[in-house]
Amino acid sequence: MIPVLLPVFSGFCLSAALIMAIGAQNLFVLQQGLRGEHVALVVLFCSLSDALLITVGVSGLGTFLGAVPEIGRVLAFGGSAFLAWYGLAALHRVRAPRRMIAGETPPIPRVRVLAMLAAFTFLNPHVYLDTVLLMGAAGAAEPSGQRPLFIGGAASASVVWFTSLGYGSRLLRPIFARPIAWRILDAIVGCVMLTLAASLILRALAPDLRLK
C-alpha cells in the first residue's frame, strides 16, 4: 500500500468498526430510510457531525473531556432522559392499533428530525467515546502532517455507512408494508433506547465516571 494512504485506510477502518454497532443514531437513520423522509438531510447531518467530532478529537479535545468527568455526567443525564422518552414512545407505538405502513404515516417535520438527530448525536456520551476519545487518540498518534488524511479516511467511512444505511433501507420496504414489521422494529427500538438510557444513568451515578 502507498505510504500516504496508510493513515486514510487506518482512519476508515477504525471509524467503520465503531459506527456500525447498533445504537440510537443508527436506528433512527434506519427508521427515516424506511419512511423515505429527509434521508439526504439525515445522512448529511450524521456524516458532518462525525467529521466535526473526529476533527476536534484529533485536535486535542478528547484529552480535555477525559480529564473533566463532570461533562460526561451532564451528558449522561440529558441523554438518558431523551433516550428513555424516545424508547417509551416507540413501545407505545407497538400497542397502538393504528396502521404504521411506510408512506401512510404523517411525515415528521424537518426541524423535528434535526432536533432528534442532534439529541441522538450530542447527548450521547458513547458518541464522544467513539469519535472524540478513541478516534481522537488514534488520530493524534499519527504524525502531524498525516492527521488530516486520517480524519479524511474516518469521515469517509461515516459517509459510506450512513448513505448505505439511509438509502439501502428502502430495500426492506416490502417487508415493512406489513404493520407487524413496524411493531417489531419499534419493539426493538424501544428496548435498545431504554437499555441505553439505563446504562447512561448507571454511568452518571458511578463515582468514578469517565467517558471511557
Side-chain angles (χ1 to χ4, degrees), residues 5 29-30 34 64 66 73 75 93 107 122 135 154 156 172 192 196 208:
L5 294 181
V29 175
L30 174 63
L34 289 170
F64 170 75
R73 187 169 288 110
L75 290 171
R93 289 196 298 269
F122 298 109
M135 295 295 299
S156 297
L172 299 176
V192 170
L196 290 174
D208 58 342

PDB file of all heavy atoms in Angstrom, residues 5 29-30 34 64 66 73 75 93 107 122 135 154 156 172 192 196 208:
ATOM      1  N   LEU A   5      -1.349   6.547   1.844  1.00  0.00           N
ATOM      2  CA  LEU A   5      -2.714   6.061   2.008  1.00  0.00           C
ATOM      3  C   LEU A   5      -2.908   5.308   3.322  1.00  0.00           C
ATOM      4  O   LEU A   5      -4.050   5.006   3.687  1.00  0.00           O
ATOM      5  CB  LEU A   5      -3.087   5.141   0.844  1.00  0.00           C
ATOM      6  CG  LEU A   5      -3.163   5.793  -0.538  1.00  0.00           C
ATOM      7  CD1 LEU A   5      -3.561   4.763  -1.582  1.00  0.00           C
ATOM      8  CD2 LEU A   5      -4.141   6.960  -0.534  1.00  0.00           C
ATOM      9  N   VAL A  29     -31.647   6.558  11.857  1.00  0.00           N
ATOM     10  CA  VAL A  29     -31.360   6.663  10.424  1.00  0.00           C
ATOM     11  C   VAL A  29     -32.106   5.571   9.662  1.00  0.00           C
ATOM     12  O   VAL A  29     -32.683   5.813   8.588  1.00  0.00           O
ATOM     13  CB  VAL A  29     -29.852   6.562  10.156  1.00  0.00           C
ATOM     14  CG1 VAL A  29     -29.563   6.543   8.651  1.00  0.00           C
ATOM     15  CG2 VAL A  29     -29.119   7.738  10.801  1.00  0.00           C
ATOM     16  N   LEU A  30     -32.112   4.356  10.211  1.00  0.00           N
ATOM     17  CA  LEU A  30     -32.839   3.252   9.580  1.00  0.00           C
ATOM     18  C   LEU A  30     -34.323   3.557   9.484  1.00  0.00           C
ATOM     19  O   LEU A  30     -34.949   3.337   8.434  1.00  0.00           O
ATOM     20  CB  LEU A  30     -32.616   1.966  10.381  1.00  0.00           C
ATOM     21  CG  LEU A  30     -33.411   0.735   9.937  1.00  0.00           C
ATOM     22  CD1 LEU A  30     -33.020   0.326   8.523  1.00  0.00           C
ATOM     23  CD2 LEU A  30     -33.213  -0.424  10.906  1.00  0.00           C
ATOM     24  N   LEU A  34     -36.543   3.918   6.052  1.00  0.00           N
ATOM     25  CA  LEU A  34     -37.737   3.119   5.776  1.00  0.00           C
ATOM     26  C   LEU A  34     -38.931   4.007   5.463  1.00  0.00           C
ATOM     27  O   LEU A  34     -39.767   3.670   4.608  1.00  0.00           O
ATOM     28  CB  LEU A  34     -38.052   2.218   6.973  1.00  0.00           C
ATOM     29  CG  LEU A  34     -37.088   1.042   7.209  1.00  0.00           C
ATOM     30  CD1 LEU A  34     -37.366   0.389   8.554  1.00  0.00           C
ATOM     31  CD2 LEU A  34     -37.230   0.023   6.084  1.00  0.00           C
ATOM     32  N   PHE A  64      -9.085  16.698  26.922  1.00  0.00           N
ATOM     33  CA  PHE A  64      -9.769  17.604  27.849  1.00  0.00           C
ATOM     34  C   PHE A  64     -11.015  16.953  28.438  1.00  0.00           C
ATOM     35  O   PHE A  64     -11.250  17.007  29.649  1.00  0.00           O
ATOM     36  CB  PHE A  64     -10.140  18.900  27.127  1.00  0.00           C
ATOM     37  CG  PHE A  64     -11.053  19.799  27.920  1.00  0.00           C
ATOM     38  CD1 PHE A  64     -10.563  20.547  28.984  1.00  0.00           C
ATOM     39  CD2 PHE A  64     -12.394  19.885  27.607  1.00  0.00           C
ATOM     40  CE1 PHE A  64     -11.395  21.367  29.723  1.00  0.00           C
ATOM     41  CE2 PHE A  64     -13.247  20.705  28.340  1.00  0.00           C
ATOM     42  CZ  PHE A  64     -12.741  21.447  29.398  1.00  0.00           C
ATOM     43  N   GLY A  66     -11.691  13.809  28.734  1.00  0.00           N
ATOM     44  CA  GLY A  66     -11.332  12.713  29.615  1.00  0.00           C
ATOM     45  C   GLY A  66     -10.908  13.187  30.990  1.00  0.00           C
ATOM     46  O   GLY A  66     -10.998  12.449  31.970  1.00  0.00           O
ATOM     47  N   ARG A  73     -21.011  13.420  33.026  1.00  0.00           N
ATOM     48  CA  ARG A  73     -22.175  13.206  33.880  1.00  0.00           C
ATOM     49  C   ARG A  73     -23.375  14.011  33.378  1.00  0.00           C
ATOM     50  O   ARG A  73     -24.506  13.505  33.341  1.00  0.00           O
ATOM     51  CB  ARG A  73     -21.832  13.584  35.323  1.00  0.00           C
ATOM     52  CG  ARG A  73     -22.911  13.241  36.323  1.00  0.00           C
ATOM     53  CD  ARG A  73     -22.422  13.394  37.750  1.00  0.00           C
ATOM     54  NE  ARG A  73     -21.487  12.332  38.096  1.00  0.00           N
ATOM     55  CZ  ARG A  73     -20.190  12.510  38.292  1.00  0.00           C
ATOM     56  NH1 ARG A  73     -19.656  13.706  38.143  1.00  0.00           N
ATOM     57  NH2 ARG A  73     -19.402  11.517  38.613  1.00  0.00           N
ATOM     58  N   LEU A  75     -23.908  15.055  30.294  1.00  0.00           N
ATOM     59  CA  LEU A  75     -24.351  14.431  29.045  1.00  0.00           C
ATOM     60  C   LEU A  75     -25.120  13.145  29.323  1.00  0.00           C
ATOM     61  O   LEU A  75     -26.105  12.846  28.646  1.00  0.00           O
ATOM     62  CB  LEU A  75     -23.138  14.126  28.162  1.00  0.00           C
ATOM     63  CG  LEU A  75     -22.419  15.334  27.549  1.00  0.00           C
ATOM     64  CD1 LEU A  75     -21.123  14.877  26.883  1.00  0.00           C
ATOM     65  CD2 LEU A  75     -23.315  16.029  26.532  1.00  0.00           C
ATOM     66  N   ARG A  93     -46.031   2.844  20.420  1.00  0.00           N
ATOM     67  CA  ARG A  93     -46.474   2.597  19.047  1.00  0.00           C
ATOM     68  C   ARG A  93     -46.697   1.106  18.791  1.00  0.00           C
ATOM     69  O   ARG A  93     -47.510   0.736  17.936  1.00  0.00           O
ATOM     70  CB  ARG A  93     -45.447   3.145  18.058  1.00  0.00           C
ATOM     71  CG  ARG A  93     -45.383   4.659  17.989  1.00  0.00           C
ATOM     72  CD  ARG A  93     -44.645   5.136  16.749  1.00  0.00           C
ATOM     73  NE  ARG A  93     -43.259   4.688  16.728  1.00  0.00           N
ATOM     74  CZ  ARG A  93     -42.254   5.383  17.231  1.00  0.00           C
ATOM     75  NH1 ARG A  93     -42.479   6.539  17.827  1.00  0.00           N
ATOM     76  NH2 ARG A  93     -41.012   4.929  17.160  1.00  0.00           N
ATOM     77  N   PRO A 107     -45.767  12.662   7.898  1.00  0.00           N
ATOM     78  CA  PRO A 107     -44.324  12.946   7.831  1.00  0.00           C
ATOM     79  C   PRO A 107     -43.860  13.712   9.059  1.00  0.00           C
ATOM     80  O   PRO A 107     -44.596  14.509   9.636  1.00  0.00           O
ATOM     81  CB  PRO A 107     -44.193  13.787   6.562  1.00  0.00           C
ATOM     82  CG  PRO A 107     -45.544  14.402   6.370  1.00  0.00           C
ATOM     83  CD  PRO A 107     -46.533  13.392   6.864  1.00  0.00           C
ATOM     84  N   PHE A 122     -25.366  14.439  20.106  1.00  0.00           N
ATOM     85  CA  PHE A 122     -24.577  15.229  21.048  1.00  0.00           C
ATOM     86  C   PHE A 122     -24.943  15.017  22.516  1.00  0.00           C
ATOM     87  O   PHE A 122     -24.235  15.520  23.393  1.00  0.00           O
ATOM     88  CB  PHE A 122     -24.692  16.705  20.687  1.00  0.00           C
ATOM     89  CG  PHE A 122     -24.152  17.024  19.318  1.00  0.00           C
ATOM     90  CD1 PHE A 122     -25.006  17.366  18.283  1.00  0.00           C
ATOM     91  CD2 PHE A 122     -22.797  16.944  19.048  1.00  0.00           C
ATOM     92  CE1 PHE A 122     -24.521  17.646  17.009  1.00  0.00           C
ATOM     93  CE2 PHE A 122     -22.296  17.217  17.785  1.00  0.00           C
ATOM     94  CZ  PHE A 122     -23.157  17.564  16.765  1.00  0.00           C
ATOM     95  N   MET A 135     -11.223   7.786  18.471  1.00  0.00           N
ATOM     96  CA  MET A 135     -10.728   8.260  17.178  1.00  0.00           C
ATOM     97  C   MET A 135      -9.728   9.388  17.378  1.00  0.00           C
ATOM     98  O   MET A 135      -8.737   9.494  16.642  1.00  0.00           O
ATOM     99  CB  MET A 135     -11.891   8.741  16.310  1.00  0.00           C
ATOM    100  CG  MET A 135     -12.875   7.661  15.896  1.00  0.00           C
ATOM    101  SD  MET A 135     -12.136   6.418  14.808  1.00  0.00           S
ATOM    102  CE  MET A 135     -11.663   7.445  13.416  1.00  0.00           C
ATOM    103  N   ALA A 154     -11.484   8.607   8.131  1.00  0.00           N
ATOM    104  CA  ALA A 154     -12.519   8.322   9.125  1.00  0.00           C
ATOM    105  C   ALA A 154     -13.853   8.941   8.726  1.00  0.00           C
ATOM    106  O   ALA A 154     -14.912   8.308   8.839  1.00  0.00           O
ATOM    107  CB  ALA A 154     -12.077   8.861  10.485  1.00  0.00           C
ATOM    108  N   SER A 156     -14.812   9.614   5.722  1.00  0.00           N
ATOM    109  CA  SER A 156     -15.310   8.895   4.545  1.00  0.00           C
ATOM    110  C   SER A 156     -16.088   7.651   4.952  1.00  0.00           C
ATOM    111  O   SER A 156     -17.105   7.303   4.341  1.00  0.00           O
ATOM    112  CB  SER A 156     -14.147   8.498   3.633  1.00  0.00           C
ATOM    113  OG  SER A 156     -13.483   9.641   3.133  1.00  0.00           O
ATOM    114  N   LEU A 172     -35.786  -2.827   2.258  1.00  0.00           N
ATOM    115  CA  LEU A 172     -36.584  -3.544   3.247  1.00  0.00           C
ATOM    116  C   LEU A 172     -38.046  -3.102   3.253  1.00  0.00           C
ATOM    117  O   LEU A 172     -38.848  -3.655   4.014  1.00  0.00           O
ATOM    118  CB  LEU A 172     -35.994  -3.331   4.646  1.00  0.00           C
ATOM    119  CG  LEU A 172     -34.559  -3.813   4.859  1.00  0.00           C
ATOM    120  CD1 LEU A 172     -34.091  -3.433   6.258  1.00  0.00           C
ATOM    121  CD2 LEU A 172     -34.461  -5.316   4.658  1.00  0.00           C
ATOM    122  N   VAL A 192     -33.858  -1.108  22.927  1.00  0.00           N
ATOM    123  CA  VAL A 192     -32.495  -0.596  22.802  1.00  0.00           C
ATOM    124  C   VAL A 192     -32.369   0.771  23.458  1.00  0.00           C
ATOM    125  O   VAL A 192     -31.409   1.046  24.204  1.00  0.00           O
ATOM    126  CB  VAL A 192     -32.073  -0.528  21.317  1.00  0.00           C
ATOM    127  CG1 VAL A 192     -30.745   0.232  21.171  1.00  0.00           C
ATOM    128  CG2 VAL A 192     -31.931  -1.929  20.737  1.00  0.00           C
ATOM    129  N   LEU A 196     -30.041   1.674  26.655  1.00  0.00           N
ATOM    130  CA  LEU A 196     -29.021   2.712  26.598  1.00  0.00           C
ATOM    131  C   LEU A 196     -29.254   3.778  27.668  1.00  0.00           C
ATOM    132  O   LEU A 196     -28.306   4.253  28.301  1.00  0.00           O
ATOM    133  CB  LEU A 196     -29.012   3.357  25.207  1.00  0.00           C
ATOM    134  CG  LEU A 196     -28.506   2.493  24.061  1.00  0.00           C
ATOM    135  CD1 LEU A 196     -28.696   3.211  22.729  1.00  0.00           C
ATOM    136  CD2 LEU A 196     -27.039   2.132  24.258  1.00  0.00           C
ATOM    137  N   ASP A 208     -16.817   7.101  39.888  1.00  0.00           N
ATOM    138  CA  ASP A 208     -15.595   7.260  39.103  1.00  0.00           C
ATOM    139  C   ASP A 208     -15.920   7.403  37.642  1.00  0.00           C
ATOM    140  O   ASP A 208     -15.198   6.926  36.790  1.00  0.00           O
ATOM    141  CB  ASP A 208     -14.676   6.064  39.305  1.00  0.00           C
ATOM    142  CG  ASP A 208     -15.369   4.742  38.916  1.00  0.00           C
ATOM    143  OD1 ASP A 208     -16.620   4.746  38.827  1.00  0.00           O
ATOM    144  OD2 ASP A 208     -14.644   3.746  38.714  1.00  0.00           O
TER     145      ASP A 208
END
